[in-house]
Every structure is written in structure tokens, then in C-alpha cells.
Amino acid sequence: MFTGFFFLLRARGLKVSLQEWRTLLEGLEKGLHGSSLTGFYYLARAVLVHTEADFDRFDQVFLEYFRDVQPFDELPKELEEWLSKPIDPVEYDPAALKNQGLDIETIRQMLEQRMKEQHERHDGGTHWVGTGGASPFGNSGYYPGGIRVGGQGRNRSALQVAGERNFRDFREDRVLETRQFQMAFRRLRQFSALEDGPKTELELDETIKQTGDNAGQLRLVFGRPRRNTVKLLMLFDSGGSMWEFTKLTASLFQAVSKESKFKDLKIYYFHNCFYDDLYTAPGCHHATAVSTEWVLSQLGQDYKVIVVGDASMAPYELLSPGGCSDYYTYNKEPGIDWIGKFTGRYDRMIWLNPLPQDNWERGYGSDTIRIIKKAVPMYRLTLEGLQQGLKYLTAAR
């Protein structure tokens, strides 16, 4: 099965062993791919790729081998909206939930027929495309071996994900160094105040200028040291669709942590958007929760705020009470209201987004990206984007 894919991976320089390939085939036999090409993409990448530096090469090979596979048609907008808001699963007798021997191609043909016949929402049933039921099609239900339609697991097809080439920056020949980010943060030093006292700190830029003006004869220029007055609050989106940007955000985190030019640095984590609670660790577990209201009350208006996240989520996760269902918490206020509280308190606030800017206008998450962009100045999480964002933070108001 897919033997040609195995040999193409090897031919393109990915070191895939026979043992790893057998592990992939075992995963397919156990149905870990969810009977979908997208599921196969993630399963194969998890089993066969050893390092994030090879993710981009894997995507290129995947596109090359599966380029002629036609993904299932896009859902009608109305159908996609209600599938993103599933009901609680209805109880069924487990004995009645057998696959009935239907292979995936048969189920796919049945799904295409249902899509032609269905014109309204259905939930908790056994026949139509819906949620919370025992139908072979839909999401948040019980049917084993069916086809997921909509819901959190759908997002984008494997070919779309691979085609976006989101891992270019992870390649070993294009790594963004922590040092580069760290140097960019030096821009914030202009907010430091000069100390009284003797001139004991070497002014490097002015020394170079004076030496050049002096026909290359070294002329050292000293100035008074700066007293650190910069206060920075950073909020990192953690988990879910941000996993693929872990290395990039880790470099940014390391740069901030190593930069000693801040009077105060506070770092918190959230998932998708910030709600009633923030977290002191990237796992976003309840034990590490801190009231967002408390953070706002404790950190004065003189803090500069940098949010790091892809801003991509189901619209209800941003616009409706309840918040993010991934962590099984209920939030009294929607994420967009919390964003408003932050922008109302801090006028120096930016959002760094690791997604390519083409994704900001179309594709999964583009609706919420557009909404957040209107509330918070958004920049691409690249060295250039960070420099532009810091320039905005340091500009006179």
C-alpha cells in the first residue's frame, strides 16, 4: 500500500526506515488515519518525519505523490456553520453501532448522495449528515469508521495544509535565529531613561561614526548608562493549530527571556483567544490558571503588550460566551470582549501571527483573523514583521 510514496520519500532525501514504514501500515490497519487523506497526512508525518526541519520536504513530497487526488467538495456555508456547533451526543446502544461492513468508498458514495438530498440541519440521528448521533457522516457522534464532516477535526484538507508550505522557516537552511529576534527587541531600549552620573557606557554607533569622521583613527564615545524602564506583557497562544509553529515561537520566547533590557517582563499563555483565565504554563491546565481580570488590574497601562498566535478558530470561539471547548471550560464572556478590555487598557499592543499573510484573507480561520485585525494591529511573525511591530510599539502617540 502506497509503496511508491515510500520510495519517493527516500528518493527526495527523507530517511524513512522499513521499520517506520511498517509502523505506518499498522496504524492504517488500526484506523488511526480516520479513513481520510488528511488523517493519513498527519499520521504519516508523525511516524515518518524525525525533525521539524524536514516538515517542508515532507509536504513537497506529499503534494508530488497525491497531487491528482481530488478532495471532497467544500461544504455549503450554512451546513458548515451548524456543523461547527454540535449538540451533546445522544446515548445509543453500543451493540447497534457496528460498522456494518461498509468500506470507506461505499460510505463516501452514500455521503455524496446525502449531500444532494439534505437541505436542513439534522442532529442525533442515524441517517443524515449531522452531529451527536450514530450516522456515518458528521461529527461529535458515535459511528466508528465513518467520515468526519465539519467540526474541530476538519479544518483544511491535507493537500491544502501541505500546499501552504507553513514549514519553510523550519528548514535548516532558513532557521530564524534567537539572536536575530533578540537584536530586534533592542529597539525597545529607546524607552529607557538616562541615569545621572558619569559617562561610562560605550556608545557603539556614535563611536563608529566619530571614527569614520576621524579618517579611521579610533575615537571612543561614551555616554551615561540607561535605566531600564520597559515593561512588557507577552501572551502566547499554545496548543492546537499552534503546534506546527512551536519552534518559531520558542525562538521568540528565548529571545525575550534572554533580553535583559526590560524593567519587568510578564508571560502568560492562552488557547485560541484569551478568556476568563490566562495560564502560567503552555499546557494551559486548570492548576496554572490566573484570573485575566486580576492580570489586568495588576499590570498598569504603561505595559506594552505583544500577543503571539494564529488568530484562527471557529467564529463561535471568538464571538460567543463559552469560549474554547478544547479545554472543557465555560467562559462567561466571549474572547472578542476580552480583546476589547486589553485594547482599552493598553494603547501599545500588537498581535504577531505566524501564518502566511495569504491565509489571513481566505481559508480556515480567515473570518476570525479579520475580526481580530480590526481590533489589534497584526504583523507576520517573521523578523521583518517583528521589527515593524516593535516600531509601532515605540512610535510616538
Side-chain angles (χ1 to χ4, degrees), residues 343-357:
T343 56
R345 183 164 178 77
Y346 306 105
D347 66 335
R348 297 178 184 270
M349 177 173 174
I350 61 173
W351 192 296
L352 299 177
N353 193 328
L355 287 176
Q357 286 188 263

Side-chain angles (χ1 to χ4, degrees), residues 68 83 108 110 137 152 160 219 261 275 297 355 371:
D68 296 325
L83 283 170
R108 182 183 179 88
M110 292 169 61
F137 333 104
Q152 283 190 307
Q160 288 174 309
R219 178 176 291 175
K261 305 303 179 183
Y275 303 102
S297 67
L355 287 176
I371 294 170

Side-chain angles (χ1 to χ4, degrees), residues 26 41 90 104 152 200 204 263 275-276 339 342 352 366 375 388 391:
E26 290 175 6
Y41 166 85
V90 177
I104 192 62
Q152 283 190 307
T200 59
L204 184 58
K263 182 176 181 179
Y275 303 102
D276 297 1
I339 291 176
F342 272 82
L352 299 177
S366 59
Q388 292 173 350
K391 183 177 181 180

